[in-house]
């Protein structure tokens, strides 16, 4: 059971300590109910976004699985293979599957795919066979759209819940040579539209939003990629994270646990969901948030240190997280968290654990 000592300062609540405790409790304790006090970790499978690529995609790779060179936002700069999502039962990739029923999310249906540039789309051997129809290119906007029919069903026997697409003869612009990549890939789930995905107020599946109704707060440790952020013990550079290197809502995908760019020096902090989407989900659900600040985020200062500066560093990661949560930015419509929502702040995750930052 998780327990924490909290210090409340306005709408911010600082978690001063964090521990796991085992309680030998009476049946009376367990029979009690705790309305509006229980929270949950942000999690989704299949994705809670309308865009299936958004938080479950992976960087485009070559035929051997090696990530391709990318721009600073993770868009591929050459031909390659994109894993849009993988919702197969656990260990389907290395049998045996651990669930006797072999249940999986039903990801079948007709998807709408869109990207900037041009490409030839095809299936990848060994993966579910997709059907591509109605591919069209709009020269005025340099945008390609295509319908993608996904087979499958609610069990692995119906067909793996795995979408993999090959992109060849890519042209980033109409005047580009081939094998130059593409950008702004979206894979809109069945029943939703590109217009909905383009509206920050509608980026989440309503069923995903409704699932948070019983809970008081949402913890974003996993979504923020906390356990993989720069500064962790295996990070040879021991990077400090400036605000400029964070994940952005316009990145190729909102990767959880994987760096968005193959150039870690450019995007050392681009792990996990961008803060803008955390604001949008908190407001859509009207829930308090429990956030994890990266262990090496810039802006910390100890009042007991000789070089302590009372004035805030307005360029720092920590200052800008607070400012964004309060005021939002252009992507959120310049709207921060709903008034009245509380923010629970944790420094990294399990700082006593040498396996984590």
């Amino acid at each position: 059971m998780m327990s924490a000592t909290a210090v409340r300062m306005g709408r911010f609540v600082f978690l001063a300590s964090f521990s796991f405790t085992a309680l030998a409790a009476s049946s009376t304790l367990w029979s009690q109910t705790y309305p509006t006090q229980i929270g949950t970790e942000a999690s989704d499978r299949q994705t809670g976004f309308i865009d299936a690529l958004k938080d479950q995609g992976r960087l485009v790779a070559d035929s051997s699985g090696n990530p391709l060179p990318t721009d600073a936002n993770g868009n591929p700069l050459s031909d390659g293979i994109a894993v849009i999502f993988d919702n197969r039962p656990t260990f389907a990739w290395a049998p045996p599957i651990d669930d006797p029923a072999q249940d999986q999310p039903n990801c079948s249906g007709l998807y709408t795919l869109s990207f900037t540039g041009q490409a030839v789309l095809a299936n990848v051997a060994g993966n579910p066979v997709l059907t591509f129809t109605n591919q069209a290119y709009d020269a005025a906007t340099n945008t390609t759209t295509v319908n993608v029919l996904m087979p499958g069903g609610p069990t692995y026997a119906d067909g793996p819940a795995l979408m993999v697409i090959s992109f060849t003869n890519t042209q980033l612009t109409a005047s580009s040579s081939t094998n130059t990549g593409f950008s702004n890939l979206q894979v809109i789930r069945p029943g939703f539209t590109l217009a909905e995905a383009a509206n920050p107020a509608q980026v989440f599946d309503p069923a995903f939003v409704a699932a948070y109704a019983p809970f008081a707060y949402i913890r974003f440790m996993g979504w923020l990629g906390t356990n993989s952020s720069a500064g962790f013990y295996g990070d040879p550079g021991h990077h400090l994270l400036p605000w400029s290197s964070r994940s952005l809502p316009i990145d190729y995908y909102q990767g959880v646990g994987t760096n968005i760019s193959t150039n870690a020096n450019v995007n050392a902090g681009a792990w996990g969901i961008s803060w803008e989407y955390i604001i949008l989900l908190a407001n859509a659900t009207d829930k308090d948030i429990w956030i994890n600040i990266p262990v090496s985020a810039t802006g910390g200062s100890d009042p007991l240190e000789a070089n302590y500066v009372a004035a805030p560093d307005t360029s720092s990661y920590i200052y800008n997280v607070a400012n964004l949560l309060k005021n939002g930015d252009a992507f959120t419509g310049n709207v921060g968290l709903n008034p009245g929502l509380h923010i629970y702040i944790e420094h990294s995750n399990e700082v006593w654990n040498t396996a984590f930052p």
Side-chain angles (χ1 to χ4, degrees):
M1 180 177 179
M2 294 184 292
S3 65
T5 300
V7 179
R8 184 178 296 274
M9 296 179 64
R11 72 189 300 189
F12 291 86
V13 178
F14 295 84
L15 300 174
S17 66
F18 186 80
S19 64
F20 289 92
T21 58
L23 300 179
S26 67
S27 58
T28 301
L29 173 64
W30 293 115
S31 67
Q32 296 177 21
T33 58
Y34 300 90
T36 73
Q37 297 181 38
I38 303 299
T40 185
E41 181 79 17
S43 181
D44 54 345
R45 185 174 179 269
Q46 60 182 312
T47 179
F49 287 85
I50 288 174
D51 179 358
L53 178 78
K54 187 66 71 177
D55 72 329
Q56 295 188 338
R58 291 294 178 265
L59 288 175
V60 178
D62 62 21
S63 58
S64 299
N66 301 309
L68 299 177
T70 69
D71 64 17
N73 296 112
N75 295 296
L77 298 176
S78 63
D79 295 355
I81 297 170
V83 177
I84 307 303
F85 57 77
D86 185 353
N87 288 316
R88 294 174 293 174
T90 300
F91 301 129
W93 48 90
I97 293 172
D98 66 354
D99 176 13
Q102 299 189 355
D103 290 331
Q104 64 182 14
N106 186 354
C107 299
S108 63
L110 189 65
Y111 292 75
T112 302
L113 186 148
S114 171
F115 59 91
T116 299
Q118 301 179 69
V120 174
L121 277 59
N123 286 293
V124 178
N127 295 284
V129 176
L130 310 170
T131 303
F132 303 97
T133 57
N134 301 320
Q135 182 163 340
Y137 174 67
D138 185 340
T141 60
N142 188 33
T143 301
T144 297
T145 55
V146 58
N147 291 334
V148 182
L149 182 62
M150 173 78 186
T155 70
Y156 188 71
D158 297 318
L162 170 66
M163 181 181 285
V164 184
I165 301 174
S166 167
F167 291 78
T168 58
N169 294 326
T170 56
Q171 287 183 268
L172 184 57
T173 69
S175 59
S176 299
S177 59
T178 57
N179 196 28
T180 51
F182 56 89
S183 63
N184 302 319
L185 178 62
Q186 297 180 86
V187 185
I188 308 305
R189 292 169 52 199
F192 299 103
T193 66
L194 284 164
E196 288 174 316
N199 182 350
Q202 295 180 297
V203 295
F204 298 110
D205 183 339
F208 176 65
V209 173
Y212 288 103
F215 301 101
Y217 61 84
I218 307 172
R219 184 174 185 244
F220 290 98
M221 185 275 292
W223 261 32
L224 287 168
T226 305
N227 291 339
S228 303
S229 61
F232 67 99
Y233 296 109
D235 172 16
H238 300 289
H239 297 90
L240 287 176
L241 290 187
W243 184 242
S244 59
S245 71
R246 70 187 183 94
S247 295
L248 298 173
I250 60 171
D251 284 341
Y252 170 75
Y253 74 109
Q254 300 292 301
V256 176
T258 51
N259 196 293
I260 191 63
S261 173
T262 52
N263 185 349
N265 292 322
V266 174
N267 269 31
W271 298 82
I273 304 295
S274 66
W275 291 100
E276 284 85 348
Y277 285 116
I278 291 173
I279 292 173
L280 293 176
L281 182 59
N283 288 347
T285 58
D286 199 33
K287 301 298 179 183
D288 294 343
I289 61 173
W290 176 339
I291 61 174
N292 301 71
I293 301 298
V295 67
S296 56
T298 56
S301 187
D302 186 344
L304 299 180
E305 291 182 352
N307 61 351
Y308 172 70
V309 178
D313 177 0
T314 57
S315 67
S316 73
Y317 192 108
I318 293 174
Y319 179 91
N320 280 281
V321 166
N323 185 62
L324 179 64
L325 293 176
K326 178 180 179 181
N327 300 311
D329 61 13
F331 187 83
T332 66
N334 295 311
V335 174
L337 290 175
N338 289 342
L341 292 184
H342 298 98
I343 304 167
Y344 298 86
I345 301 174
E346 182 181 0
H347 176 56
S348 189
N349 175 51
E350 297 183 14
V351 293
W352 49 266
N353 188 340
T354 56
F356 297 148

